[in-house]
Each structure stands twice: as structure tokens, then as C-alpha cells.
Amino acid sequence: MKNTESKNFLLYAIAVLLCFPQAIKAREFSLRQGFSYDYPKNYDDWEDSFLSGNGKMGIMVFGNPLDETVVFNDRGFNLAKKRDRSFAEVPKPVLDSIRQFCVDGEFVKANKLAVESAQWKNGGEGNRHPGFLMKIEIPQNGKIKDYKRICNFRTGEIIVSWTDNRGKWERRSFVSRKDNVAVQYLTAPSKARISCSIRLDIDPKMNFPRNMLFTKESAVDYLAMRVKYDKERGGAGYEGVTRVLVSGGEVILNGDVLNISDAKSVLLLTRTQKYYENSEEYWAKGEIQKQLSNLFPDYQKLLGRHTAEHGTIYDRVKLDLNAPDKDRSLSNEKLLEIQQQSDYPVMALWERIFDAGRYYFLSSSSELTPPDLLGIWTGDCQAGWGGFYHLDANLNLQVSSGNIAAMPEAMEGYFKINEAWRDDFRLNARNLLGCRGLLACGNTPGQQSGLMAGINDYYPYQYATGEEPWLLYPFWEYFLVTGDTDFLEKRLYPMLKELGHFYEDFLTHVDANGRYIFAGSVSPENQPSNLKVSLLNNSNFDISGAKFALSALLESCRILGKKEGVEIWSGILEKLPPYLINSDGALQEWSWPGLKDNYQHRHSSQLMMIWPYREITPENDKRLFDAAVRTFELKDRFEARQGHDLLHRALIAAGLKNGKALEDKLLSLTRNGFYYSTLASSHNEKHAIFCTDVCNSLPSIILEMLVSSMPEQLELLPALPPSLSKGSVSGIRGRNRVIVENLDWDMARRQIRCVLRSDIDQTLTLIVRDGIASISTKAYTEPSSLENIARKVHLKKGVKTALVVHVANK
């Protein structure tokens, strides 16, 4: 039908296309900075330092005015290995016995044999660790006043300012995405010159192993920290070099300390590097000094080069939750304090944690690597869980916004690291399960190894076969967002094809109904309530992963015109076990009789088919969708106290169209001490264990509650919390090659306005769950088989299509 409300449409289109960007820009200063009026007083507070990074390097700025501490991090800073992880090549008769034990329900025997036969031994790189610190000390002269520290999310710049008897002081720092250098700039106060001392050092509270050797190399224009791991680590080591440029004044080297007096400004340029062998030979070459000498020593020019990349990426998506301007002017600490005392969202805080999440995700991602458990930052060698990449939820959640929030530059590191693990994943599959294809490793310190981790009685990792499909889902999502068939053919299809071969070899037994049995199956870190054993049959985690992988593989074959293997893989997909509904009316976590669910658990692996795979929706399988709703209700009776638990539950709530439950999860994250004053985050409530799961994953929750997308389908406000009645967002990428250039809603007026742009000609099913009373648009629309909740909208390639949706009254 053609819409006749042309006058209203034209007025709206003018408002959207002309005014919307200005509305976002008007609050840029207040929202795009996290700022604080307090600073860590001692080294135990490193978690509350402000953070900057480029995915390769990271700095942690404490912000103490006269006794500054800056900790330097590098993606390569993991304790060097003595030997690789290792495991046996499990003989085929043993593998056959393990599978038969599982088929026969002899799970204790299967678990024991699987662990013993693997003969797994720990090895590889160890914990993430900081590199070193820089101390900048300034003599006291009067009382410190007007203190503020700011992190400008748009530029990545950390600014520390205060006043004393010498006037107003300011220190600025950032890590350049363009030039891969940490830049610090100290300027003289308004009534005096700079006098300070600078040194590179370590602190006992960094907990370095005793056998590491630290050597300082100092000159009036360069400071260097050179570090060797113990002699059993093959000469591995690292270094950090700082180029010192002083304008005016005098510089005197006293041992390893630079004493600067009467200077106008001080510019510090630092670069770090890890060497996996022969570190002394690299030091002797002085390569970092040469590299730093080639950088143009101008703070503003270096900042401009960095911002041109960082700011461009960051600016692609913007959120406005209609927060009062007076709240946007408040510090992070004050907003967190208000939220802790309120049962309703503090909009300015929710806007700011969205922006902080985009900032921290981008700052801990490079073109080679994604964030690990720590993003890229730590002040301590004793990081929780080693600071590793964990592949059964944590990394998966941290990158979950990268595609839909328009950060392909950050996602490239995720793609690259998965490709780097590929050979080791093949070895895992071949030696531990006797299969071709790919088997993910559970966890790993970094790029250097994808060998299987942590095989033990509680968690026989080698049978968590659903990990690799989840790792490949963002590849598929990237293709859905971009339509990049070159990426599909050269990067994703080959790995999906290997997974197809894996399932050909792994699925060897069928049940009485002719359905394949995942004979040896794990649901991450959970066990049935009536059987304390981990190796079982048919976990939803593994089944849903296989369904996704095989479906994506077959669709890739169709798109690319591939015929090899299609008949075999189609047959496997058709014979995968169905999801079961238990006596509670919920989806059973293991689709196998006699295994009782354990809802009180931090993982939500039984609901992977809701998020991320979107396999089950209210439209395509109401029975299973209702069972998923019931599962969620039963899990939600138990309080979540770990960040990844709340994050995954919130994303599942978005998939279940449950805005109230999603709001509850976000309130838990913002009220219960998951956020530090810098809006970085902890793994557990009450600031227990620094971890970037929460801050990096938060944007995906916000975006999924506002826009849900699948090929040929777009749902607006699928899980909008009741309290977020008005707001706007721009730049969301749909999994259907549609960009939501802007979306604003006013539920008091029952009105949604949006502008869509499609990369292709297509007919899109537009859904509003509350019902559509009418749509105003110039595009051709027609009724949908989904009746009043949807319309079909015809989009033309490259054309901006504005719509006003009048939402039905409840």
C-alpha cells in the first residue's frame, strides 16, 4: 500500500535528516568523556586508573598530580614459555570406548577415560603482566585544588588537571592508533615553569617473578627498560623505550633519573616490544630508538593523526537516552553513586557506559588481536585466570558489538587471531578426537598457541565442540552485515568447510530414532543437578553450535556455487538431535534422558539458540521459544554475581523480547560494583577482579534491545526497557545489509522514527512487537503474514528511506 500521510512524512524527514546529527553533537563534550574528581592514592588502586590503548600498547594513568604513575602494557606481555602445552594422540580404540561409554550412559567411565587418555600437560605462555611503570614527580608548592582527570573517549586522550600556587597544571597522554606510540605531554603551569623528575621503574606490588632481570639504560634524551625472563625461556624478553624532548630549561641525568628544571614543556614518546628469543640481540640494534627518532615531535600533530583513525571509528554509532543535561555534567563517581541508590536507570550513566564500552573495546583491539580478559591492561602479574583469552563466553561476549556497531577495524584482530589458531585447532581435533577439522582450545594466552587447555575431571575441554562454531559466528555475522563475498569465500568458507569435515568424523553413533548422538558433549562448566560429571551427551551448546555451523556452511555453498559436500552436510544437519523440553516446561540443557537441569549456574549455554544464533524466534517455533522463556525464568530465580553471566542473560533477554529482564541485568551491572570510577569493569560484583567483559560487552546489549536484525528482517525496539521511553541511536548495522542511520522513539507518543539505508534492493520485513497502527513513508509497503506487528518495506539500493511508525496502543 502507498502511504498518504505525505505532509507529516516531509516534516519528519526534514527533522531527521537535518536536525538529528546536531542534537547528538550538542552533547558531545558531556557524554563523550568519562571524568573523575578523585584519583588512586596508592598502587593497589591500579584498577581505578584511566586507560588508553591501541590494541598493541596500553597505558594506565593514575592521575596523582605531584606523584604520577603510568603503567605500560603490551599485547605481547605474557610470561614467556618453557615448553608448549602437550597432549597425547588418543588411539582410535580408546576414542571408540569413550564414545560407547557415553552412548551407554556410562558417563563417569567416559569422563575418566577421556581425561586420562589425553595425557595433557600444561605449558605455553603464562599470565599477562605489566611491562614497567613511569614515575613523574613534581615538588609541592601549595594546596592542590580544582583537581579533575578526564578520559576523552572520542580522542583517547587522558587529561589530568589541577591548580596550586604555581597556577593551573595539565598533563595529557594517549596511545596512538596511527603511529603505535604512547604520547605524554607536560606543560608548564600558568605562573611558573616545569620542574620534575622522570624515571622508569617497577614496583614490588606488580608481583613480577623473582627470576626476571630488569636493566635500565638512561640518557638525557632516552630512557629504556630492558627485561629478560629467566634463562630457561630461550632468551625471551622485552623492552620499553621513551624518547624525552624538553622545551627550554635544563636536563640532568642522575643515575637512572632525569631531573628537569625550568622547562616550558616535556614531550615523552614511548614504544614497547616483546621478543620471543634472542632479546639482547634486538636491544643492541636500537631499533625502537631509531623508530622514535623518526616521529615528528609535536603533540597536537600526533594527536590529530591518531584521532583521524580512532575518532572516525568511534563516531560511527551514537546513543542518546534523553538524559538531563545537569546529569551529563556529573562525574563518573557521582553518577555511579546516584545509580546505586536508585531502582531506575540513570540515563546519563547508561549513555556514558555505552560510550565507555565502545572506547575500551576499540582501545584494546588492533588489526592483529582482540581484547583478552583484561582488554590490554594490567598492573599486576597475578591477573585473574591469567588474563587469557577464554573462548566459551568471555571473548565471544567482548567482541559481540563489533559488527553491528561498525568497528570492522577492531573485528579484524578477532578474525586474524582465529586464523592464527587454525593449525593448532586442527591438531586438537586430530589428536584428541581423531577427527579432521577444527577444535577450539578452551583458553589461550594469545596468538602464539591454540593448543588444548586445561583437560581435567571437571572440564574435559576437548569435548566442548560448540566452542569453534561460536568463534566462527562473528565471521558469519560480518558477512551478513557487509555482504562481502570475497571475505566469505577466502576466510570463512574454508573454516566452515573444515567444521563440516569435523562433524562427518565426530558424529558416528545414532539413537533409536536415527538421530546423531554427540557421544561426548560438554555444557561449559556446568553439570546436571543429579549427576556430578561433565562429559555427557547432546548438550544444547554443542547441538546449537553444529546447527549454526552446518546451516552457515550450506548457505555459503549456495551463495558461492559450491557443490562438494553439500549432500553429506545436509544429511548431517537433518539428523542432528532435537532440543528437548523437560518436566518444568523448559529447554533441557542436555538433550538426553535422565539428566536433570541445574539452573543455578553462571553460564547460559542451553540458550545459545536464542543468542547469539537467533535460531528460535516467536515466529518460527513458538513452542521452543516458550520453552526458552521458561528456561530463562527458572535461571533468573538465581542471582548472578559474575559479569559474563549477567551479560549473556541480558543478550538472551533481548532475544526473548524481555525488556524488563534486560533492564534488571543492566541495573545489576551498574548498581552492584561492576564498574570502577573510570567505567572500566570487574569480573565480579564489588570490584572483584579487573576484567573488561562488562565494559566491552555493554554496547551490544544496548544495541540488541533497540534493533534486532536477521536477513530480510528488522525489528525495532525488540526489548526496550519500560523506563527508556524516549531516546535515539544512529549507525547500527543490521545483519541484512541495512544501516539504521538513525532511530528515535517516543513511547509516550507511541511513535518511532527511523531512516534506513540498504546496500541492495530488498524487501524487508519490519517488526514492532507492540503492533503497528500505521507507517508514514515514501517507500512502497505491503502487509506481512505476521499481521499487525509487521509490514513489508521495499528498500532501494543506496537510498535513504525515512519512516514514521505509529505504534499500536497497548
Side-chain angles (χ1 to χ4, degrees):
M1 70 187 91
K2 286 275 188 181
N3 201 290
T4 58
E5 299 178 46
S6 57
K7 183 177 179 180
N8 289 342
F9 165 75
L10 288 173
L11 291 173
Y12 161 65
I14 292 170
V16 166
L17 298 176
L18 297 181
C19 299
F20 186 84
Q22 283 74 13
I24 290 288
K25 187 176 181 180
R27 64 180 183 80
E28 184 171 299
F29 175 83
S30 63
L31 184 57
R32 294 198 184 168
Q33 301 190 91
F35 56 96
S36 171
Y37 293 114
D38 196 7
Y39 55 88
K41 305 295 192 299
N42 58 65
Y43 200 74
D44 293 328
D45 295 334
W46 67 262
E47 296 97 333
D48 257 321
S49 59
F50 266 129
L51 311 175
S52 182
N54 63 3
K56 165 65 170 63
M57 294 176 57
I59 59 173
M60 307 167 64
V61 179
F62 279 48
N64 191 313
L66 305 181
D67 186 18
E68 178 66 285
T69 300
V70 179
V71 177
F72 289 83
N73 288 268
D74 189 286
R75 177 62 70 205
F77 289 172
N78 284 80
L79 295 174
K81 66 182 180 181
K82 289 184 179 179
R83 59 181 182 276
D84 285 322
R85 292 173 173 176
S86 64
F87 41 83
E89 182 174 355
V90 182
K92 185 178 184 303
V94 175
L95 290 171
D96 290 342
S97 294
I98 294 167
R99 290 172 179 167
Q100 192 60 52
F101 280 142
C102 286
V103 171
D104 295 340
E106 298 283 352
F107 298 122
V108 174
K109 290 181 180 179
N111 202 99
K112 185 174 185 294
L113 184 56
V115 172
E116 290 178 350
S117 63
Q119 299 176 37
W120 182 85
K121 293 182 181 179
N122 202 2
E125 291 186 289
N127 285 22
R128 293 269 289 113
H129 64 78
F132 53 91
L133 59 81
M134 177 185 288
K135 295 291 290 188
I136 303 173
E137 297 177 347
I138 299 172
Q140 185 172 0
N141 188 337
K143 183 179 179 180
I144 301 295
K145 298 181 293 183
D146 303 323
Y147 175 82
K148 182 185 284 189
R149 57 182 178 139
I150 293 171
C151 182
N152 186 318
F153 299 143
R154 187 177 183 278
T155 65
E157 196 178 18
I158 299 169
I159 305 167
V160 180
S161 63
W162 71 95
T163 59
D164 61 14
N165 289 346
R166 291 161 289 196
K168 182 175 180 179
W169 290 81
E170 190 172 81
R171 281 197 301 267
R172 293 173 175 262
S173 56
F174 67 95
V175 181
S176 173
R177 197 167 192 92
K178 177 69 173 180
D179 295 305
N180 189 35
V181 63
V183 185
Q184 298 165 268
Y185 190 46
L186 293 69
T187 53
S190 53
K191 301 177 185 178
R193 296 288 187 96
I194 299 173
S195 292
C196 66
S197 67
I198 303 175
R199 72 179 191 273
L200 303 184
D201 212 339
I202 61 170
D203 189 288
K205 294 176 183 177
M206 295 171 108
N207 293 307
F208 283 107
R210 293 181 182 178
N211 52 12
M212 289 178 68
L213 179 64
F214 294 82
T215 304
K216 302 176 187 178
E217 299 286 342
S218 305
V220 293
D221 54 352
Y222 282 95
L223 298 173
M225 177 71 78
R226 291 170 169 171
V227 186
K228 282 191 72 174
Y229 300 99
D230 69 68
K231 59 184 179 181
E232 297 180 355
R233 314 283 172 162
Y238 63 91
E239 67 178 324
V241 179
T242 299
R243 181 185 177 192
V244 182
L245 299 107
V246 178
S247 175
E250 183 179 19
V251 183
I252 298 175
L253 182 65
N254 184 4
D256 298 316
V257 180
L258 279 182
N259 290 305
I260 299 171
S261 59
D262 202 32
K264 295 180 181 178
S265 65
V266 179
L267 180 66
L268 305 171
L269 305 177
T270 304
R271 187 171 286 174
T272 56
Q273 185 64 49
K274 170 80 170 282
Y275 308 110
Y276 292 90
E277 57 185 5
N278 304 322
S279 56
E280 290 179 326
E281 294 180 14
Y282 288 101
W283 298 337
K285 295 177 182 178
E287 290 294 335
I288 295 183
Q289 286 88 336
K290 296 174 187 176
Q291 295 163 8
L292 293 175
S293 68
N294 290 328
L295 291 176
F296 193 79
D298 183 289
Y299 182 85
Q300 289 301 327
K301 288 186 177 180
L302 289 168
L303 178 63
R305 285 166 58 84
H306 162 68
T307 304
E309 291 196 6
H310 173 100
T312 297
I313 300 167
Y314 177 85
D315 278 345
R316 290 178 188 144
V317 173
K318 301 181 180 72
L319 175 73
D320 186 326
L321 295 179
N322 200 39
D325 287 340
K326 63 179 179 61
D327 288 355
R328 289 175 177 157
S329 67
L330 298 175
S331 68
N332 298 344
E333 294 99 329
K334 187 61 179 177
L335 289 173
L336 287 166
E337 178 187 340
I338 294 170
Q339 185 65 88
Q340 287 171 356
Q341 298 169 0
S342 175
D343 294 331
Y344 300 96
V346 175
M347 302 303 180
L349 176 63
W350 287 31
E351 289 173 343
R352 199 173 295 172
I353 60 175
F354 177 86
D355 284 359
R358 284 181 60 73
Y359 168 73
Y360 287 126
F361 175 54
L362 179 58
S363 298
S364 54
S365 301
S366 75
E367 73 281 359
L368 293 176
T369 57
D372 55 32
L373 283 181
L374 307 174
I376 195 173
W377 303 280
T378 183
D380 186 351
C381 297
Q382 298 177 355
W385 302 278
F388 288 3
Y389 290 102
H390 285 249
L391 312 181
D392 62 6
N394 307 85
L395 174 61
N396 321 68
L397 289 165
Q398 290 210 41
V399 304
S400 58
S401 72
N403 290 318
I404 60 175
M407 287 192 176
E409 297 86 349
M411 291 305 296
E412 179 59 26
Y414 177 82
F415 302 145
K416 283 272 176 57
I417 202 169
N418 275 274
E419 291 166 336
W421 292 330
R422 192 173 172 185
D423 284 343
D424 283 347
F425 283 7
R426 289 177 180 139
L427 184 63
N428 295 337
R430 182 173 67 249
N431 282 15
L432 291 169
L433 297 182
C435 298
R436 294 170 294 165
L438 305 174
L439 177 67
C441 62
N443 67 58
T444 179
Q447 290 176 286
Q448 301 302 309
S449 175
L451 296 174
M452 184 58 63
I455 296 176
N456 55 56
D457 286 339
Y458 179 66
Y459 201 177
Y461 263 98
Q462 72 269 40
Y463 283 93
T465 59
E467 282 189 354
E468 179 61 9
W470 198 356
L471 289 175
L472 290 187
Y473 175 77
F475 285 74
W476 179 245
E477 183 180 63
Y478 176 82
F479 168 71
L480 295 181
V481 167
T482 64
D484 186 343
T485 53
D486 191 60
F487 177 91
L488 178 66
E489 182 164 22
K490 295 179 180 178
R491 302 184 72 175
L492 175 54
Y493 168 72
M495 289 190 283
L496 287 173
K497 182 178 178 180
E498 289 201 68
L499 268 184
H501 292 322
F502 174 82
Y503 290 117
E504 289 178 47
D505 295 349
F506 182 72
L507 297 172
T508 57
H509 291 71
V510 295
D511 61 19
N513 297 314
R515 297 281 191 167
Y516 282 117
I517 302 170
F518 284 75
S521 184
V522 166
S523 195
E525 302 179 44
N526 199 9
Q527 298 175 334
S529 61
N530 65 326
L531 182 62
K532 298 305 178 184
V533 66
S534 297
L535 189 59
L536 303 158
N537 293 335
N538 291 0
S539 75
N540 282 0
F541 180 77
D542 291 335
I543 296 170
S544 61
K547 286 187 174 183
F548 156 69
L550 291 167
S551 297
L553 173 57
L554 291 167
E555 179 64 6
S556 299
C557 289
R558 185 193 67 79
I559 294 167
L560 299 173
K562 309 281 187 182
K563 296 183 179 180
E564 179 189 357
V566 167
E567 185 176 350
I568 294 172
W569 299 324
S570 297
I572 295 173
L573 181 60
E574 290 173 2
K575 290 174 61 177
L576 291 180
Y579 304 119
L580 300 182
I581 298 176
N582 64 21
S583 59
D584 296 322
L587 284 176
Q588 194 164 303
E589 188 156 356
W590 299 269
S591 291
W592 193 257
L595 303 178
K596 294 186 177 180
D597 284 271
N598 176 23
Y599 302 111
Q600 188 174 358
H601 193 263
R602 62 191 173 276
H603 283 261
S604 296
S605 301
Q606 69 269 57
L607 293 175
M608 294 285 291
M609 68 290 292
I610 301 297
W611 191 94
Y613 298 136
R614 296 167 182 81
E615 177 192 345
I616 297 172
T617 70
E619 285 71 48
N620 68 17
D621 198 321
K622 185 66 164 55
R623 175 175 167 272
L624 287 180
F625 185 85
D626 289 345
V629 170
R630 178 61 174 158
T631 306
F632 186 84
E633 291 172 351
L634 293 169
K635 281 190 69 69
D636 240 20
R637 293 179 180 179
F638 302 99
E639 186 177 2
R641 295 185 175 181
Q642 294 182 313
H644 68 80
D645 185 353
L646 284 162
L647 295 164
H648 201 179
R649 286 201 213 182
L651 288 161
I652 291 167
L656 295 175
K657 323 302 178 187
N658 190 336
K660 181 62 174 66
L662 186 149
E663 179 181 74
D664 290 344
K665 307 301 172 290
L666 293 185
L667 284 170
S668 292
L669 291 169
T670 51
R671 296 183 64 195
N672 295 339
F674 285 94
Y675 279 97
Y676 299 107
S677 64
T678 60
L679 303 184
S681 58
S682 61
H683 185 276
N684 297 345
E685 61 184 5
K686 299 179 181 178
H687 298 158
I689 312 176
F690 180 89
C691 176
T692 53
D693 282 0
V694 170
C695 59
N696 284 3
S697 306
L698 186 281
S700 62
I701 298 172
I702 299 288
L703 297 179
E704 293 285 6
M705 81 182 187
L706 298 177
V707 175
S708 176
S709 60
M710 297 169 61
E712 301 180 352
Q713 181 175 301
L714 190 77
E715 183 170 353
L716 304 179
L717 310 182
L720 185 71
S723 56
L724 303 186
S725 60
K726 188 174 183 179
S728 59
V729 68
S730 65
I732 300 177
R733 270 56 175 175
R735 300 175 190 87
N736 45 30
R737 303 182 66 178
V738 170
I739 298 175
V740 182
E741 298 228 333
N742 68 266
L743 166 70
D744 64 270
W745 65 94
D746 185 340
M747 300 317 290
R749 298 177 61 194
R750 308 297 289 169
Q751 187 177 89
I752 303 170
R753 302 180 296 175
C754 64
V755 174
L756 308 179
R757 178 166 57 84
S758 175
D759 286 346
I760 54 174
D761 289 344
Q762 63 173 305
T763 299
L764 192 72
T765 298
L766 185 74
I767 297 175
V768 176
R769 195 63 51 179
D770 281 353
I772 299 173
S774 64
I775 292 182
S776 301
T777 180
K778 282 188 173 180
Y780 182 78
T781 66
E782 57 183 311
S784 164
S785 60
L786 302 181
E787 299 180 345
N788 77 313
I789 68 167
R791 298 287 192 279
K792 290 185 177 181
V793 180
H794 294 256
L795 302 178
K796 295 295 184 181
K797 178 181 177 179
V799 175
K800 294 183 180 181
T801 300
L803 304 101
V804 180
V805 179
H806 304 279
V807 182
N809 291 320
K810 292 185 177 180

